[in-house]
């Protein structure tokens, strides 16, 4: 008998029928003899609808009240799910985040979990109940207020519960079959991965893959939680996300796994490029520029500085599209102080990333990327690397084609087209 934590995303509990389907899946797990703790998201697009409502009554909704409002979405789905399980003859009890002991800091809308005290959950489990917990929310001890963890936060709730209860596995259910070598909607020949290391998953998630949230993967990595990302709509096994030193459960069953050099290709259309042109080529200018950008709240990703013979240089960097306007305004305000000549804003870029732990030990991985892009006649505008990732910035109109070419070049293409349930991965 195992203790299994399951997380169901909004698309898995979008209506009454779906809730009943999820209830059956939970009951089946219980019938197999396991203890089950479930973290559930709000039904369908509830969170977005609540956000829209809030914005209709107030241009800038008060953060405390916004969390009161948004946390109600998960309260609806948790109670309905518990009712559905009851009516199937099983004992189920739902708990809000604060009842479940999800203690966070006080930052409304982006709270971090600081402690989990699942006393009531343990009691309910000991009494033989299936436990349902509202995802995405917590409680701060100082303010005694309800908090939310940020969009997609239910993944983190599930992983934190799995860590606190020492669960055997944390199953994250969504409308896609697992983690793929690329987004199957962009690359139809993408294949489902049997497993991926948590460090690869972090790089993929940070560079555009949307199936799992970064914070949840980080939490799992830190606390040694085994994640199994799989689909609500099929019984097929999904993808295991393995932390350091973690054994693949399928290997324990005798399967032999080969380790590919490249785990996957991620695409990201969400970035914009800003070029600060004609910056005096003297010490301290980069520091000045990025201090201004940081103060505007923009999150800088890639940076490139060009060499220049004229005593002036261009510095280009990328930020999320939503942050670009703020960064530009902040920089324009300090133009004379910094002494640059002009600002160029370009939001028609795309970022392609190749991720694989095998890059540490294999040479020629980047050459394959550049050769493939060059053969495809695709121009590279920026390059950045980490130990296990190579990213390039391209024209956004080239990104999909580039991803296909690169996916093929690394031998990642599958024989059959991936099944896509028109899913969003949530
Ligand atoms: N309902 C929240 C959201 O849509 C949390 C989640 O789904 O994980 O962001
Ligand atoms: Mg949602």
């Amino acid at each position: 008998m195992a203790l299994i934590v399951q997380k169901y995303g909004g698309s898995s509990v979008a209506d009454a029928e779906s809730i009943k389907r999820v209830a059956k899946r939970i009951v089946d797990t219980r019938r197999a003899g396991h203890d089950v703790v479930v973290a559930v998201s709000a039904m369908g697009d509830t969170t977005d609808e609540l956000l829209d409502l809030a914005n209709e009554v107030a241009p800038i909704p008060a953060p405390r009240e916004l969390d009161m409002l948004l946390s109600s979405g998960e309260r609806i789905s948790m109670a309905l799910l518990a009712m559905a399980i009851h009516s199937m003859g099983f004992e189920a009890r739902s708990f809000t985040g604060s009842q479940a002991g999800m203690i966070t800091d006080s930052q409304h809308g982006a709270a971090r979990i600081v402690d989990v005290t699942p006393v009531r959950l343990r009691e309910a489990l000991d009494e033989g109940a299936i436990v349902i917990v509202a995802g995405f929310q917590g409680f701060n001890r100082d303010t005694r207020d309800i908090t939310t963890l940020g969009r997609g936060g239910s993944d983190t709730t599930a992983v934190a519960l799995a860590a606190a209860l020492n669960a055997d596995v944390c199953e994250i259910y969504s409308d896609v079959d697992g983690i793929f070598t690329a987004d199957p909607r962009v690359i139809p020949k993408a294949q489902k991965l049997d497993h991926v290391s948590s460090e690869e998953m972090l790089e993929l998630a940070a560079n555009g893959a949307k199936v799992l949230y970064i914070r949840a993967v980080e939490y799992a990595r830190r606390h040694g939680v085994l994640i199994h990302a799989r689909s609500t709509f099929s019984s097929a096994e999904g993808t295991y996300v393995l932390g350091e030193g973690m054994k693949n459960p399928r290997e324990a069953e005798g399967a032999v796994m080969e380790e590919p050099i490249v785990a996957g290709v991620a695409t990201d259309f969400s970035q914009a490029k800003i070029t600060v042109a004609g910056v005096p080529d003297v010490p301290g200018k980069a520091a000045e520029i990025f201090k201004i950008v940081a103060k505007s709240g923009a999150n800088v990703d890639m940076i490139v500085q060009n060499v220049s013979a004229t005593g002036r240089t261009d510095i280009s960097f990328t930020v999320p599209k939503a942050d670009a306007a703020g960064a530009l305004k902040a920089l324009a305000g300090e133009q004379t102080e910094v002494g640059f000549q002009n600002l160029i804003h370009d939001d028609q870029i795309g970022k392609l990333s190749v991720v694989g732990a095998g890059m540490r030990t294999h040479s020629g991985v980047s050459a394959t990327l550049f050769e493939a892009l060059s053969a495809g006649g695709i121009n590279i505008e920026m390059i950045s690397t980490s130990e296990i990732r190579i990213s390039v910035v391209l024209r956004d109109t080239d990104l999909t084609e580039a991803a296909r070419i690169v996916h093929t070049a690394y031998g990642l293409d599958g024989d059959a087209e991936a099944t896509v349930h028109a899913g969003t991965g949530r």
Side-chain angles (χ1 to χ4, degrees):
M1 183 176 117
L3 171 57
I4 298 179
V5 171
Q6 300 185 332
K7 179 261 174 173
Y8 292 94
S11 63
S12 302
V13 292
D15 51 29
E17 260 337 287
S18 317
I19 289 177
K20 285 198 256 178
R21 186 183 322 119
V22 164
K24 181 168 178 307
R25 187 143 200 162
I26 294 168
V27 163
D28 286 346
T29 311
R30 180 79 191 130
R31 277 213 184 95
H34 304 304
D35 278 336
V36 194
V37 173
V38 176
V40 69
S41 289
M43 295 170 68
D45 296 325
T46 302
T47 308
D48 289 308
E49 287 157 14
L50 292 173
L51 262 175
D52 288 346
L53 259 178
N55 288 317
E56 272 176 52
V57 299
I60 303 168
R64 177 188 184 276
E65 303 311 326
L66 194 57
D67 276 356
M68 290 300 257
L69 179 73
L70 295 186
S71 62
S72 69
E74 271 71 10
R75 219 163 147 148
I76 294 171
S77 51
M78 75 172 192
L80 289 171
L81 189 52
M83 287 174 200
I85 294 171
H86 277 157
S87 74
M88 299 170 93
F90 283 76
E91 169 70 7
R93 231 169 278 168
S94 69
F95 296 93
T96 64
S98 74
Q99 287 176 317
M102 201 60 63
I103 311 298
T104 71
D105 65 15
S106 62
Q107 207 190 333
H108 287 296
R112 289 203 171 251
I113 298 168
V114 295
D115 194 13
V116 185
T117 53
V119 183
R120 296 196 62 187
L121 309 190
R122 284 220 188 272
E123 279 169 14
L125 287 172
D126 289 345
E127 287 163 28
I130 293 166
V131 167
I132 317 287
V133 178
F136 170 63
Q137 54 182 269
F139 176 79
N140 178 258
R141 279 186 176 133
D142 302 323
T143 61
R144 288 172 294 160
D145 278 327
I146 303 294
T147 54
T148 63
L149 309 179
R151 297 308 305 269
S154 302
D155 286 6
T156 318
T157 303
V159 171
L161 289 172
L165 295 164
N166 206 4
D168 296 86
V169 62
C170 180
E171 298 181 336
I172 302 212
Y173 287 89
S174 72
D175 56 4
V176 297
D177 288 338
I179 316 292
F180 282 73
T181 50
D183 184 340
R185 282 159 303 177
V186 177
I187 300 179
K189 285 189 172 160
Q191 304 181 70
K192 185 174 75 186
L193 291 163
D194 168 84
H195 63 278
V196 64
S197 71
S198 57
E199 65 168 351
E200 288 169 328
M201 192 62 235
L202 282 173
E203 289 276 15
L204 288 168
N207 291 284
K210 292 184 195 75
V211 183
L212 290 176
Y213 271 82
I214 294 182
R215 274 207 193 173
V217 180
E218 275 169 357
Y219 201 103
R221 188 170 163 77
R222 233 178 305 122
H223 292 84
V225 173
L226 174 66
I227 293 179
H228 184 189
R230 55 193 306 193
S231 166
T232 314
F233 303 95
S234 99
S235 56
E237 295 254 308
T239 304
Y240 284 105
V241 182
L242 304 172
E244 229 156 312
M246 236 180 237
K247 204 149 177 62
N248 185 338
R250 281 191 275 263
E251 231 159 8
E253 286 164 11
V256 181
M257 299 294 166
E258 58 170 312
E259 289 302 330
I261 298 169
V262 166
V265 172
T267 46
D268 185 357
F269 287 96
S270 71
Q271 302 268 318
K273 181 168 81 173
I274 292 174
T275 301
V276 188
V279 181
D281 201 0
V282 295
K285 287 298 161 188
E288 275 178 53
I289 288 171
F290 289 103
K291 214 152 106 196
I292 296 166
V293 175
K295 251 175 80 191
S296 80
N299 196 354
V300 175
D301 181 20
M302 281 195 207
I303 301 174
V304 170
Q305 177 176 335
N306 300 323
V307 211
S308 140
T310 60
R312 288 190 182 266
T313 180
D314 295 346
I315 296 179
S316 294
F317 58 92
T318 64
V319 291
K321 280 189 173 129
D323 292 352
L328 284 164
K329 195 167 164 237
L331 283 166
E334 311 264 358
Q335 177 163 6
T336 359
E337 286 79 355
V338 182
F340 62 85
Q341 287 167 328
N342 62 311
L343 289 170
I344 304 156
H345 177 207
D346 177 358
D347 63 359
Q348 259 129 51
I349 59 164
K351 186 170 74 169
L352 172 71
S353 301
V354 177
V355 173
M359 286 182 199
R360 281 210 185 89
T361 44
H362 289 78
S363 56
V365 182
S366 52
T368 304
L369 172 67
F370 301 139
E371 273 162 27
L373 291 176
S374 130
I378 291 167
N379 187 41
I380 301 170
E381 299 181 19
M382 293 169 105
I383 302 169
S384 85
T385 62
S386 84
E387 236 185 311
I388 64 161
R389 173 184 54 83
I390 312 163
S391 298
V392 291
V393 165
L394 317 161
R395 281 298 92 200
D396 57 357
T397 44
D398 284 341
L399 184 53
T400 299
E401 174 63 9
R404 287 208 184 111
I405 293 174
V406 168
H407 196 264
T408 306
Y410 286 110
L412 297 173
D413 288 354
D415 300 328
E417 290 217 345
T419 350
V420 183
H421 311 279
T424 58
R426 307 309 312 147

